[in-house]
Structure formats: C-alpha cells, structure tokens
Amino acid sequence: MKALIIDGYVDEPACLGVPPYLSPYPRYIAGALRERGLSENDIHYLTIDTLRENPPGAGELTGKADIVIIIAGMTVPGKYLRASPITLREIETIFRVSHGLKVIGGPIRLGFSGEGGRAAKDAEDGINFSDAVLARMDLEAFVYDLFKDDIIGSTPARLQNPETVEHRFRTTAEIGRWGPRGAFLIRQHPDYPYCMCELETYRGCGRQVHCSFCTEPFYGASDYRLIEDVILEVSTLYSYGARYFRIGRQPDLFSYHGKDAGGPVPKPDPDAIERLYRGIRNSAPELSVLHMDNANPITLATYPEESEQILKTIIKYHTAGDVAAFGMESADRAVIEANSLKATPEEVFEAIKLVNRRGAVRGANGLPEILPGINFVHGLMGETKKTFQLNYDFLNEVLDSGLLLRRINIRQVMAFPGTPIYGKDEAARKHKKLFLDYKVRVRKNIDLPMLRRVVPEGTILRDVMCEIHEKEITFGRQLGSYPLLVGIPAFLPLRKATDVTVTGHGMRSITGIPYPLYINTASHNLIRELPGLGRKSADSIVAGIPYTDREDFLRRVSDGNKLLRFIEI
C-alpha cells in the first residue's frame, strides 16, 4: 500500500508550516500510517511547491498512491519569501488525477480564504472535492481510523469506507506515539537538513470567553502534552538529522502546564518549562536553533516573577535571535472589550519591559537573545478611526522608551465561520484606505528606527542562509522565528550559509555584505556597501586593488582602520 502526503502548507495563530518550516501535521500523519503497518518506503511526502516544479514525477506518485492526503489551511494571512500555499484549483486538480482514496484536512476544515480582510468560506461550500473526503476534525486521527481492524505493526490493515469513519480529535497519547514514528519524514522535505521543525506542547484555549476572531478555541480547552513525549519527539527528529527547532505550536508557551489559580489566565509552571528546555538540549546537544513563538502578554503581566524565571530558562537553553510573539491585537479599550481581548495596553507594555530586561543583550548570532513581537489585528468589532491612532501612539511610546521590538505584525482580520466576529467584520472594508495609510506610517516611523536599533550598522549576523536570487541581489535569512530578510548585492550560492555585515536598513529588511569581505576580489557594489564608506572612498579603494597586506591597506586608505573589522586581505 502506498500513501502520498501533499503539504499545501498551514499558517495558524499557533502553528506555522510554510518552508523552511515543517509543521507537525505531516509528521503526525506519517506516524499514524507507520503505526498502521506502512513502511517508511511506502509513505511519500511532497510539498505543493515540489509538485509544481516537477508535475510529471509528482503526478506519477499522485496517480499510483492508494491514499492521497492533502494538508492545507491558512487561518492567518501571511507573505512568504519563496513558498506559495496551495490554491483551490490545485486541490481540485490533484484530486481529479488521483485514483486512490482522497482525503483533505488541517485548518482548512475551518474554512478557506486566500486573502486577508475577507471572510472565509466553508471549505465544503468552496471546494469541488471530486469524491474526496474532508476530515472535519483531526486529519491525523481520521487517517489512522481509515484502516479497518486493529492491526498494528508490520502488516497494514485494509482501508475502509471513509463514510463509516467517525470524525474526532486525536489524543495527546496518540501524537506522543505518532510524533517519533513520523520523524523520518523530515528527510523527504526539500529543504532538508535546513528545515525548522515546529514542535507542539499543547493546543486549544482554556479561557471561558475567547477572542472574537481566533480559531484556536475550535481545538477545545488546553490539552498539554507530556514533557517526556515532546523530548522524545525532538530526540527522534535529531537522530534523523534535524537541527532546527521551534516550540511554536501553542497559544502561550509561558502557560504550558500552567495551574488554574482562579484568575483569567493559568499560573505559569517554571519548573515544567525548565524540564522541557533542559530535556530538549540534552537530547539534541548539537542543535543549531532552538526558538519559541507565542506568549500571552497577560501571563507575563499577571505573573511577572514566574515569567521572569521562565525567561531565564529560555535564555539559558535556547539560541539567540528568539522572539516571543505577543497577541496584543489592539490598544483601543473599546475594541478590547468588544472582542474579548486579553490584555490592556499597560499590561502589554509591562510584558515588553520584562522581556527586554532579560532578553535585549546581544547573543552569539548577532541578534539580541530574545525580544517581544507585537501582533495587531484590524477590522475588529468596535473599531473606529481613533483605533488607528491609539495603536500608533502605543508603538511610538515603546519606541520613545528605548525598548526593543523585533517584529510588528499588522494585519486585517480574517473571519471564520463559528467565530463571534463572523459576519461582523465590516470595519475591515470600511477602513481599508485608513488601514493602508496607517500601515505605511508605522513602517516608516516605527519599524525603520526600531530595526536600526535592533541591528545597528556594522552588526555581524552569523549563518544567513541564502535562499533566492532576484535581479542582482541574493536574499537570505537566518533560520529562526521571524527571521530578518537580508539583501546582499551579489550572486551568492543558494542553500549556503554566510556571515553578513549589516550595512543598511529598510522598513522591514536590511542590506548586508559577506563577512569578512575579501577586498581584493570583492565587486565594486559590495565595496561600496562597507559601513561608513562613501562613493568616492569606495572608488579609491577599488582603484588601489590589490593590497598586499593589512599594512599596505592602512597606508593607502585613509581611515582604513575603521574598515579592518569587516574585511580580509
């Protein structure tokens, strides 16, 4: 029996699976198939981009597979450097040419929308499934239950009629088994070994009243995984060559194994976080990246002592350049109340201060150890023109205070069926022009000076992975949470890492040159980018090539000592 898993990519409030990220979904599905008796050689994995690049080869796999499984669903809008999520037309085409059993699932079960600021359509109304089955709850559990009889091991059970299969959520015990069993799949990822493994600690939301737009409550109450299970999954991934990890699949890492203290948020358990991080480090001793994602600012503001202890643990075991993404959503109290949001502006500000106090020190890769990110959502209920100014004023206050933010995410709401905001997101259309103007103002007046503060000119960033060429520029990023886009004015080999000197700043990206710059062979464009160097000085340096040694360079280049930090002769 042959199974084909097609990764159409996912992007959720608490899960990312767009290259170079590999989400848990395909790994869990592969693990479920292995438990049902399929061998590693019987389970094939393709990203939608791989299928696009090689339609004949991928099409042959699709046609021969006994079961074709598509993972899809973007419940938050995003822009991606070199990957494009699967489209409705592609889903329909794949299913049309597939001869085996066809199943689709993932966040797409909640609805499908390819555009921010537009309400999603119900998936079954928007897709011509061509006799495919939509897993209306967990895809990995549905695939597991498709196999008839309880045969586990080397002999695969028979596929049964999907109409007889119950739609259900998987348990943490099941993914505790499926995660390690599906770890082999990483070797089929097109970015291997340079792909980020998204790790799940828990999902769902334990709040009694949920944010109006969020899809995380559809997964139920918080369901914490055993710490030992997460560590085992990391250990197994590591044995297959994984070196890049992000603890990203949870709405609030600080609440992992939190205790109900009778308040609006669980009380953090610093010991649990310490056991998790220490276990990951011990099981993957030579990992290259260990980052996190989501943190609820109300948790840090309500429990500052426990949260500071957790920050100490994270900094002790992680790798630098980490980001704690805060879902602030709005600084407008009317919007906060109308949409049952979590934290006031004052509470978010205190959380920002707390992370900066521990995390703003610069780490080994050139970035601060850990910084907060801020998410804003527009188009929410109660939004007025005043909302935009309140949000801007909050960001300006953070900038004026000298605090650092690694990332400011501004998006329009995507409303999904079953959320309180569904059908009430008219503000997204009403304020569209105001939204666009405000976004430009934030990028120019907040993002740009903030970026100059986070990575000043002359900062050396380590291990920037070169990813694409565009015109005469190589674009690359460090692997990690919300990596900075670096434009290098030269053609450099792709899928190779290089150290980079920061030489300039855009609103959300930077310009850099290879570090060290070999001055005798560097192009004029690269020499011109050296920090503090004007065009005339650059031309003079180029005219003097070659230089025999550092003394020769210093003798012939005025202020050459300022450049010696960045060059090699």
Side-chain angles (χ1 to χ4, degrees):
M1 183 174 292
K2 302 292 183 184
L4 175 61
I5 302 168
I6 297 176
D7 196 344
Y9 310 143
V10 299
D11 195 348
E12 302 178 80
C15 185
L16 180 60
V18 181
Y21 280 81
L22 174 61
S23 78
Y25 287 101
R27 307 196 313 260
Y28 291 166
I29 293 167
L33 291 169
R34 288 284 291 114
E35 190 168 291
R36 284 305 203 187
L38 275 71
S39 71
E40 292 182 12
N41 292 331
D42 293 330
I43 302 168
H44 300 277
Y45 169 81
L46 293 174
T47 68
I48 183 59
D49 284 312
T50 303
L51 194 151
R52 291 168 183 143
E53 292 163 8
N54 184 23
E60 185 178 355
L61 272 175
T62 304
K64 290 183 176 179
D66 298 291
I67 177 170
V68 175
I69 304 155
I70 295 181
I71 304 159
M74 318 298 284
T75 59
V76 293
K79 292 183 179 179
Y80 312 104
L81 180 62
R82 55 176 177 83
S84 298
I86 197 167
T87 65
L88 286 174
R89 181 172 293 182
E90 286 172 331
I91 293 170
E92 292 165 358
T93 299
I94 291 166
F95 283 155
R96 195 162 52 245
V97 300
S98 301
H99 301 299
L101 182 61
K102 296 166 277 193
V103 184
I104 186 169
I108 195 171
R109 71 183 180 87
L110 305 174
F112 191 96
S113 177
E115 182 183 337
R118 187 184 72 190
K121 295 180 180 179
D122 185 277
E124 290 183 300
D125 292 339
I127 301 174
N128 178 9
F129 280 97
S130 300
D131 72 7
V133 181
L134 172 68
R136 291 190 292 274
M137 297 181 81
D138 276 330
L139 177 57
E140 54 268 39
F142 187 79
V143 169
Y144 181 79
D145 293 344
L146 273 170
F147 290 84
K148 192 174 183 180
D149 306 322
D150 191 22
I151 301 175
I152 296 175
S154 60
T155 305
R158 293 176 292 115
L159 286 169
Q160 63 176 318
N161 185 342
E163 293 182 6
T164 66
V165 177
E166 179 186 355
H167 296 263
R168 66 175 179 88
F169 286 127
R170 38 74 166 177
T171 66
T172 53
E174 284 176 321
I175 62 169
R177 304 192 308 267
W178 299 343
R181 283 185 170 136
F184 73 92
L185 206 71
I186 186 177
R187 290 187 171 175
Q188 297 186 36
H189 194 281
D191 289 335
Y192 178 82
Y194 305 112
C195 58
M196 290 281 292
C197 294
E198 185 87 321
L199 301 173
E200 176 179 338
T201 62
Y202 74 96
R203 65 177 189 179
C205 180
R207 297 179 75 210
Q208 291 184 338
V209 181
H210 304 292
C211 300
S212 68
F213 59 91
C214 188
T215 56
E216 193 64 20
F218 289 128
Y219 293 106
S222 301
D223 189 14
Y224 303 124
R225 293 185 68 187
L226 292 176
I227 294 169
E228 294 76 15
D229 284 357
V230 180
I231 294 169
L232 176 60
E233 185 176 350
V234 170
S235 177
T236 312
L237 285 163
Y238 186 80
S239 73
Y240 281 100
R243 295 295 182 269
Y244 303 88
F245 301 93
R246 186 176 80 156
I247 309 171
R249 208 297 170 231
Q250 72 280 307
D252 177 18
L253 180 59
F254 284 66
S255 293
Y256 178 49
H257 282 290
K259 306 296 190 295
D260 184 0
V265 291
K267 184 178 182 179
D269 184 347
D271 290 339
I273 305 294
E274 206 279 339
R275 284 195 291 129
L276 174 70
Y277 270 83
R278 184 180 69 243
I280 289 174
R281 269 300 194 171
N282 289 340
S283 65
E286 296 181 12
L287 59 77
S288 298
V289 171
L290 177 58
H291 281 181
M292 63 163 292
D293 187 14
N294 300 302
N296 191 337
I298 190 67
T299 304
L300 281 77
T302 306
Y303 297 104
E305 291 182 9
E306 292 83 358
S307 297
E308 187 161 10
Q309 192 174 340
I310 288 171
L311 279 167
K312 289 180 184 178
T313 292
I314 291 171
I315 293 168
K316 179 180 179 181
Y317 292 109
H318 81 159
T319 57
D322 212 347
V323 179
F326 290 161
M328 180 179 185
E329 327 310 358
S330 181
D332 186 337
R333 295 178 190 279
V335 175
I336 292 169
E337 183 176 350
N339 296 273
S340 303
L341 303 183
K342 298 175 285 292
T344 66
E346 293 79 13
E347 289 167 330
V348 176
F349 198 88
E350 287 303 310
I352 292 171
K353 286 201 298 185
L354 177 55
V355 176
N356 270 261
R357 186 162 65 246
R358 286 289 171 185
V361 61
R362 202 163 297 277
N365 69 351
L367 290 172
E369 287 286 350
I370 181 170
L371 293 178
I374 293 289
N375 299 331
F376 283 105
V377 177
H378 284 274
L380 299 176
M381 294 180 287
E383 180 178 282
T384 64
K385 292 180 180 180
K386 182 182 177 183
T387 305
F388 295 88
Q389 190 60 47
L390 289 170
N391 288 353
Y392 182 86
D393 289 345
F394 177 85
L395 291 171
N396 203 44
E397 182 183 1
V398 174
L399 183 68
D400 288 346
S401 72
L403 296 169
L404 300 179
L405 293 175
R406 169 56 200 89
R407 153 192 181 269
I408 302 167
N409 184 30
I410 302 170
R411 68 178 179 92
Q412 287 184 292
V413 68
M414 186 184 288
F416 280 81
T419 59
I421 199 172
Y422 192 68
K424 302 174 185 176
D425 55 331
E426 63 277 356
R429 295 178 292 276
K430 181 180 177 183
H431 296 140
K432 188 167 185 178
K433 185 179 185 308
L434 184 60
F435 170 81
L436 295 174
D437 292 344
Y438 143 88
K439 195 172 181 179
V440 170
R441 191 159 62 115
V442 170
R443 298 301 180 222
K444 288 174 63 177
N445 301 337
I446 308 293
D447 272 305
L448 181 56
M450 185 66 76
L451 194 53
R452 286 173 174 155
R453 188 181 294 170
V454 172
V455 280
E457 184 181 83
T459 300
I460 297 166
L461 298 179
R462 304 291 181 179
D463 297 321
V464 174
M465 184 63 61
C466 298
E467 296 189 62
I468 62 169
H469 292 140
E470 189 172 297
K471 296 183 180 178
E472 297 182 0
I473 300 174
T474 300
F475 287 99
R477 300 174 292 185
Q478 294 171 307
L479 269 73
S481 279
Y482 309 105
L484 271 172
L485 181 63
V486 184
I488 306 166
F491 278 108
L492 300 182
L494 301 183
R495 289 177 58 82
K496 299 288 184 183
T498 184
D499 295 342
V500 167
T501 301
V502 177
T503 61
H505 300 80
M507 290 183 285
R508 301 196 79 192
S509 61
I510 57 176
T511 303
I513 58 175
Y515 171 84
L517 186 67
Y518 291 90
I519 200 72
N520 285 332
T521 57
S523 70
H524 195 171
N525 282 345
L526 289 175
I527 292 173
R528 189 177 291 162
E529 286 289 335
L530 279 164
L533 200 62
R535 183 180 290 266
K536 277 190 176 182
S537 298
D539 290 343
S540 176
I541 290 173
V542 170
I545 291 172
Y547 300 93
T548 56
D549 52 31
R550 294 166 75 90
E551 288 70 26
D552 181 37
F553 183 80
L554 288 173
R555 188 170 55 253
R556 293 197 279 143
V557 176
S558 60
D559 292 329
N561 60 317
K562 295 179 180 178
L563 302 176
L564 284 179
R565 179 188 169 198
F566 308 113
I567 68 170
E568 193 69 48
I569 299 173

